[in-house]
Amino acid sequence: QWCYDSQDPKCGPSHWKELKATCGGDKQSPVNIDRRRLQRDSGLGDILFEGYDQAPPGKWRLANNGHTVVLSLASELASEHITISGGGLPSRYRALQLHFHWGSPAGNGSEHTLDGRQLPMELHIVHINVKYRTLAEAKGHPNGLAVLGFFFQVSETPNANYNTIVAGLRNVSQAGDSVDLASTFRLSTLLPHAGRLSGYYRYQGSLTTPDCSEVVVWTVFEEPVEIGREQLRAFVSTLHFPAAGPTLLKMTNNFRPPQPLRSRKVFASRA
Ligand code: SG7
Ligand code: ZN
C-alpha cells in the first residue's frame, strides 16, 4: 500500500513507482510553477462554470478516505449538471468530488508550488470528461480528467463559507468515516471571488496519488482562497490516517512533492 512520508517513509512518494510504474512517468503531477518560464496562451479565456452557483438537489457527503477528506454528492446523479468547459479545455467536464492537501502545524502543504514556494493548503476539484462514463474509462484517455487546483492563504478571520466542511471534520476523524452534511451550499462559495478566476496556469499531468494516471488536464488558479488560521488547524488536528498500530496518527503533510516538468510547458492565461 502507498502512503505519505508522514505515515511511513518506506511507502512514501519516492517509493510509489515501485508499486505503479506510471508514478515514475514523464508527465507527473504536481509540478513547480516557475513564473519566469511560463508560456502565455491567449487562447486561455475564462472557464465557464455551470451548476457551481446552484445548491445541488442532494446532500453533500464528507468522507475520510485514509489519504485526505473528500467531499462528494451523496447521489452521483446530482452532480450531472455541475460542469466546466471553455478556457482551452478540450471538452466539457463534470464534477466528481473535491478534496484537500495540507501540511502540519510546522509547515505548508500544497502540492503545486509557486516559484519553489509551497502554500498552506490546496483544494482539488476533480472533473471527468463527459465523453466517459466511469473513472476507469476516463483513465484510458489523456484528456479523461480535468482537475482545478486552488491555493489557500491564511487569514486571521474565518471564511464562513467553509464552516460546514470544517464542522464536519470531527465526524470523519478516522479513515473510512463518512457523514452526510446537513446544510446545502453552492460549490462557488468555496472558490476565490468570482471574477478573479481569469488568472490560471495550465499543463498536462497526472493524478497526484497512485496509480498516478497521466490523464489530467491541470488548471491551477493564481488567486488563493482565504481560510482562517483556526479553520486550517482543524484539518491538521482533527483527521487521522488509517491506524497502523495502537496509536492514532494525525493526517498531516498529505501532499506529493513537485515532479520533474521534463519536456512539458506550463501555460499562463495572462501575462
Ligand atoms: C485523493 O486524491 C482522493 C482520490 C483522488 C486522488 O486521494 O480525492 O479520489 C477518491 C475518490 O478517493 O483520486 C481518481 C481520484 O480522483 C488523486 O486526485 S488528485 O490528483 O486530484 N490529487
Ligand atoms: Zn488532490
Side-chain angles (χ1 to χ4, degrees):
Q1 245 309 31
W2 65 274
C3 74
Y4 292 104
D5 284 341
S6 48
Q7 293 169 268
D8 180 356
K10 291 197 289 296
C11 51
S14 61
H15 293 279
W16 294 354
K17 56 180 180 296
E18 299 155 22
L19 300 163
K20 283 283 172 190
T22 317
C23 298
D26 286 337
K27 289 183 165 180
Q28 289 294 291
S29 293
V31 296
N32 174 45
I33 298 165
D34 183 342
R35 282 186 284 195
R36 296 161 313 183
R37 320 194 68 163
L38 296 170
Q39 180 150 326
R40 153 120 173 108
D41 180 349
S42 58
L44 299 179
D46 284 359
I47 290 172
L48 178 62
F49 292 85
E50 289 178 280
Y52 266 66
D53 236 343
Q54 285 144 239
K59 283 206 162 117
W60 290 109
R61 177 168 291 164
L62 199 62
N64 177 337
N65 74 354
H67 312 293
T68 183
V69 59
V70 182
L71 183 81
S72 53
L73 282 161
S75 149
E76 223 200 280
L77 280 174
S79 80
E80 191 105 335
H81 300 289
I82 308 182
T83 65
I84 52 169
S85 59
L89 294 169
S91 177
R92 177 183 302 272
Y93 291 81
R94 176 172 64 82
L96 285 179
Q97 49 100 339
L98 63 83
H99 62 270
F100 304 85
H101 301 269
W102 59 88
S104 72
N108 290 344
S110 68
E111 296 211 299
H112 290 91
T113 54
L114 255 190
D115 297 333
R117 277 179 309 112
Q118 218 176 355
L119 284 104
M121 182 160 81
E122 190 171 328
L123 160 66
H124 289 157
I125 312 182
V126 182
H127 301 74
I128 184 170
N129 192 320
V130 295
K131 289 178 187 154
Y132 310 124
R133 302 293 264 310
T134 62
L135 198 54
E137 189 188 355
K139 282 185 181 180
H141 302 270
N143 293 327
L145 300 173
V147 183
L148 305 183
F150 295 88
F151 293 121
F152 283 81
Q153 171 178 302
V154 176
S155 63
E156 291 309 320
T157 50
N159 177 343
N161 294 329
Y162 273 82
N163 284 351
T164 306
I165 292 177
V166 170
L169 297 179
R170 43 197 264 101
N171 298 114
V172 296
S173 71
Q174 307 307 324
D177 287 351
S178 73
V179 67
D180 284 351
L181 300 182
S183 93
T184 62
F185 57 86
R186 299 169 291 128
L187 220 42
S188 61
T189 63
L190 302 181
L191 308 188
H193 269 269
R196 293 191 196 159
L197 296 173
S198 45
Y200 61 83
Y201 310 109
R202 165 68 48 73
Y203 76 98
Q204 199 67 35
S206 74
L207 293 174
T208 67
T209 64
D211 55 11
C212 308
S213 296
E214 295 181 334
V215 299
V216 180
V217 183
W218 273 97
T219 305
V220 179
F221 289 85
E222 266 176 44
E223 181 80 11
V225 182
E226 293 212 356
I227 189 156
R229 191 174 301 282
E230 294 304 316
Q231 293 179 310
L232 176 59
R233 216 169 60 106
F235 283 84
V236 174
S237 66
T238 312
L239 301 157
H240 296 88
F241 284 126
T247 54
L248 288 177
L249 187 61
K250 292 224 189 288
M251 189 178 276
T252 59
N253 296 321
N254 58 352
F255 60 87
R256 184 189 201 188
Q259 302 300 302
L261 196 55
R262 306 218 190 268
S263 59
R264 291 175 292 174
K265 277 208 153 64
V266 179
F267 297 91
S269 66
R270 61 188 185 199

